[in-house]
Amino acid sequence: MYLAIREMRYAKGRYALIATIMVLVSFLVLFVTGLAQGLAYDNAASIKNMAATHFVLEQDSNHRFTRSQAYQDQLNQARSVVGQENAEPLGVKMTTVSPMGDTKKIDVTLFMVNPEGWLAPAVTEGTPITDQTNGQVVVDHKLAESGVTIGTVLVDQASGMEWIVGGFVQNESFSHSPVVFLNEEEWLTLRKGSRTTQGSADTNANTPVYNAIAIKDAGEQVDGLSAAMPNTEVITKSDAVSAIPGYKEEQGSLLMMIAFLYVISAFVLAVFFYVITIQKTSQFGILKAIGTRNGYLAGSVSLQVLVLSVGSLVISVLLVRLFESILPASMPFQLGFSTLALTCVLFILMSVAGSLFSVWKVTKIDALDAIGRTAA
């Protein structure tokens, strides 16, 4: 440790340059990681926030809600297996709405939920929807950025239906579009083109009403659920999230960028320290000649890398938190403590791995050859 610190204090400029590069690389790793996590959450926040653990979808729907159709009799079968309170209908439809009297078009996703069930989100402002309220919806707070307020009338571009915004919810999005929640009455009206009642939906069990059936606390009953409901598939929440259009492609691209950044940081460190090691070959040879062990010299190099890695990460974390505080609310960025800790640990491991080539070079230096070159 003495040798490592003394050398870093002596060659401040050289190690400051390396530290600057490591700060830039580690900052980029942390920022892209936070962006990837933020985009992942923004893409599937509504599904991730649900208490559901599984979903029942139509067979061969590729795990996508918008390609699936679920029926009332299937909902009844699911409830008979997992319990009345553990199965809820879910409708999903992507559409475009416009505030009445405005030409602005907003892409949204309609979610049909039971207002009294566990799929209904918590309303942060305004009043929640109920089974008895017709023509009223609650919307994600992102719509406020488009000028939508409580009392605004939204017009569906496809069906022409009109809904009054009764309240706002937080962090509810699907495929990067804000979610609009409506009750089953409005959902049936949207699908059939005329107002119906819950009773008429029940009597026409063969009419497709929902897109999926959300299941919670199924436990070992999942296998029984699949057996009791032919022509369906039971998927986990993670499967449903991965099947959202563009989710895997988006996350795959970002994760590949992060992986390359780790590799680049390891190579940059490896090249810098290898060059420094070559430049100090004679010094290492003299140290070996007077009895310094290979382990001490290798530890000195590794300690320098560790100090630079930890120091650059501390600065990078502070910079990322600073940028996070000034980023606009519309930019999806999330960097929780667990993700931050894992990213820092991986960066340190990759940095130490990049120094192993220099450590190997130090152990291969021959004292007599190094001294001989110095004398020459």
Side-chain angles (χ1 to χ4, degrees):
M1 178 179 293
Y2 175 79
L3 177 62
I5 301 301
R6 289 279 296 183
E7 186 178 7
M8 293 178 68
R9 291 176 59 185
Y10 177 76
K12 296 184 183 68
R14 176 188 299 173
Y15 287 97
L17 177 61
I18 301 175
T20 301
I21 295 175
M22 292 183 67
V23 167
L24 294 175
V25 174
S26 57
F27 171 79
L28 190 56
V29 169
L30 291 172
F31 189 83
V32 175
T33 300
L35 185 61
Q37 293 292 316
L39 287 171
Y41 184 75
D42 185 70
N43 204 349
S46 291
I47 304 301
K48 291 183 176 183
N49 292 338
M50 287 181 178
T53 57
H54 296 79
F55 295 93
V56 179
L57 276 72
E58 183 182 6
Q59 197 171 32
D60 299 326
S61 61
N62 294 328
H63 298 179
R64 293 191 179 184
F65 294 120
T66 53
R67 295 181 179 178
S68 171
Q69 291 182 336
Y71 299 81
Q72 183 64 41
D73 57 344
Q74 293 175 326
L75 175 61
N76 296 334
Q77 290 174 351
R79 285 174 170 171
S80 66
V81 175
V82 300
Q84 186 74 17
E85 301 297 327
N86 293 333
E88 290 285 347
L90 175 64
V92 180
K93 179 179 174 62
M94 305 185 75
T95 187
T96 301
V97 298
S98 294
M100 180 170 285
D102 196 340
T103 58
K104 183 183 300 180
K105 296 184 179 181
I106 310 170
D107 293 328
V108 300
T109 302
L110 303 178
F111 267 36
M112 186 286 299
V113 297
N114 176 14
E116 307 299 328
W118 44 266
L119 284 183
V123 175
T124 57
E125 183 182 354
T127 57
I129 56 175
T130 66
D131 289 327
Q132 289 72 38
T133 54
N134 293 330
Q136 182 174 317
V137 295
V138 294
V139 303
D140 183 68
H141 72 285
K142 288 183 180 179
L143 285 177
E145 300 173 4
S146 300
V148 175
T149 61
I150 294 178
T152 298
V153 178
L154 299 178
V155 181
D156 181 27
Q157 297 291 299
S159 65
M161 290 188 63
E162 300 176 0
W163 301 297
I164 300 175
V165 176
F168 286 98
V169 294
Q170 291 282 344
N171 300 323
E172 296 291 345
S173 57
F174 182 87
S175 191
H176 295 303
S177 63
V179 172
V180 174
F181 290 90
L182 52 131
N183 61 20
E184 188 168 346
E185 180 72 18
E186 296 301 318
W187 176 257
L188 296 176
T189 302
L190 178 66
R191 293 184 65 91
K192 295 183 179 181
S194 61
R195 292 202 178 276
T196 59
T197 63
Q198 178 64 35
S200 64
D202 289 341
T203 56
N204 193 3
N206 292 323
T207 300
V209 177
Y210 318 117
N211 291 99
I213 300 171
I215 306 294
K216 74 169 184 176
D217 300 330
E220 299 178 355
Q221 297 172 326
V222 173
D223 294 334
L225 192 64
S226 301
M229 302 177 65
N231 300 321
T232 63
E233 55 184 8
V234 181
I235 65 172
T236 63
K237 182 189 289 189
S238 60
D239 291 334
V241 169
S242 298
I244 294 176
Y247 183 89
K248 289 192 296 185
E249 293 79 6
E250 178 182 85
Q251 289 300 301
S253 300
L254 290 171
L255 290 176
M256 185 176 66
M257 290 173 57
I258 295 171
F260 270 108
L261 286 174
Y262 279 122
V263 174
I264 289 170
S265 64
F267 268 102
V268 168
L269 273 176
V271 170
F272 265 100
F273 275 90
Y274 185 70
V275 171
I276 292 175
T277 301
I278 292 177
Q279 291 175 343
K280 298 187 299 183
T281 298
S282 58
Q283 290 92 326
F284 281 127
I286 294 172
L287 288 171
K288 283 189 175 185
I290 62 176
T292 306
R293 300 187 306 274
N294 279 330
Y296 181 83
L297 297 177
S300 176
V301 174
S302 299
L303 181 62
Q304 288 177 348
V305 174
L306 188 61
V307 170
L308 290 174
S309 300
V310 174
S312 63
L313 279 172
V314 171
I315 298 174
S316 298
V317 170
L318 295 176
L319 288 175
V320 166
R321 291 308 185 193
L322 175 62
F323 270 77
E324 186 178 4
S325 64
I326 62 177
L327 286 175
S330 58
M331 177 173 287
F333 185 89
Q334 281 191 349
L335 192 61
F337 177 77
S338 58
T339 304
L340 177 62
L342 178 61
T343 303
C344 291
V345 170
L346 288 175
F347 185 82
I348 291 174
L349 291 177
M350 291 299 295
S351 299
V352 174
S355 68
L356 293 180
F357 193 49
S358 297
V359 170
W360 172 81
K361 180 64 176 178
V362 169
T363 60
K364 295 299 181 181
I365 293 175
D366 183 84
L368 294 178
D369 288 345
I371 296 173
R373 285 195 295 270
T374 304

